[in-house]
Amino acid sequence: LEINSEPVDDGDTDNNTNFSVDFGVVPNIDLEITKTLDAANSSLVGGGQAFFDIDFQNNGPLDATNVVINDVIPTGMTIDQANSDFGTFTPVINGQDITVTVGSLAVATPESIRIAVTIDAGQTADLTNTATISGDEIETDDTNNSDDALVGLINTDLSIAKSDNTTGSVVA
């Protein structure tokens, strides 16, 4: 039997009849994730730190199963697991990839985690960090399954000029 097709044989001796009806009812969810940079507690310079708050929930209508959050830390930052707060969830960290298995997520039950990163000492360009969420059921709105936060680094352009303020020779 193919997906989204009707059976030809309903179990009786006449293959030309079919008394079964498939209404196509599938479980639906609407997972949502929001990622924000906590700029007030971040030192947004090379060698500094940045803190990201990731809020997520299931907008329903059904409970979600096998929910997973993925966050790939971009080059220029490194995960600081000691200062991160994953709450009751245990992350799997593989290099720059963070995977957090949430499991079941009931409707209208907001959750959050906090990820701390160290900004590379030589980093001067702004960085964008993206988090995504997924589950087993059919999504009714996948536009809210990914969110990113821009890390606008504070850079200073210093220069120095020296002048002797003299014209002509200087006597020792």
Side-chain angles (χ1 to χ4, degrees):
L1 179 66
E2 292 182 31
I3 296 174
N4 295 326
S5 66
E6 291 291 327
V8 177
D9 183 7
D10 61 353
D12 63 7
T13 57
D14 185 357
N15 285 337
N16 294 319
T17 62
N18 179 358
F19 295 113
S20 68
V21 178
D22 180 5
F23 288 101
V25 178
V26 293
N28 292 315
I29 59 172
D30 178 19
L31 296 175
E32 179 179 2
I33 192 165
T34 304
K35 182 168 191 162
T36 55
L37 171 68
D38 181 357
N41 290 310
S42 299
S43 56
L44 302 174
V45 295
Q49 281 196 305
F51 295 94
F52 300 100
D53 293 317
I54 300 175
D55 301 314
F56 56 97
Q57 70 179 17
N58 175 10
N59 296 325
L62 300 174
D63 290 350
T65 58
N66 295 322
V67 175
V68 175
I69 294 173
N70 290 309
D71 192 343
V72 178
I73 305 299
T75 301
M77 294 189 287
T78 306
I79 180 74
D80 178 0
Q81 191 170 357
N83 289 310
S84 295
D85 182 3
F86 293 97
T88 60
F89 308 109
T90 303
V92 174
I93 299 172
N94 184 8
Q96 295 289 89
D97 299 340
I98 302 170
T99 302
V100 179
T101 301
V102 175
S104 296
L105 188 58
V107 174
T109 307
E111 297 277 357
S112 65
I113 60 176
R114 185 170 176 91
I115 296 178
V117 298
T118 302
I119 302 167
D120 293 355
Q123 185 66 38
T124 57
D126 294 346
L127 298 164
T128 301
N129 187 214
T130 304
T132 59
I133 190 168
S134 61
D136 279 353
E137 292 75 18
I138 304 294
E139 270 288 335
T140 58
D141 178 8
D142 60 1
T143 63
N144 56 2
N145 290 53
S146 179
D147 196 26
D148 55 53
L150 176 66
V151 179
L153 296 180
I154 301 168
N155 292 306
T156 305
D157 187 15
L158 299 176
S159 66
I160 189 166
K162 184 176 180 180
S163 173
D164 62 9
N165 289 328
T166 64
T167 57
S169 301
V170 177
V171 179

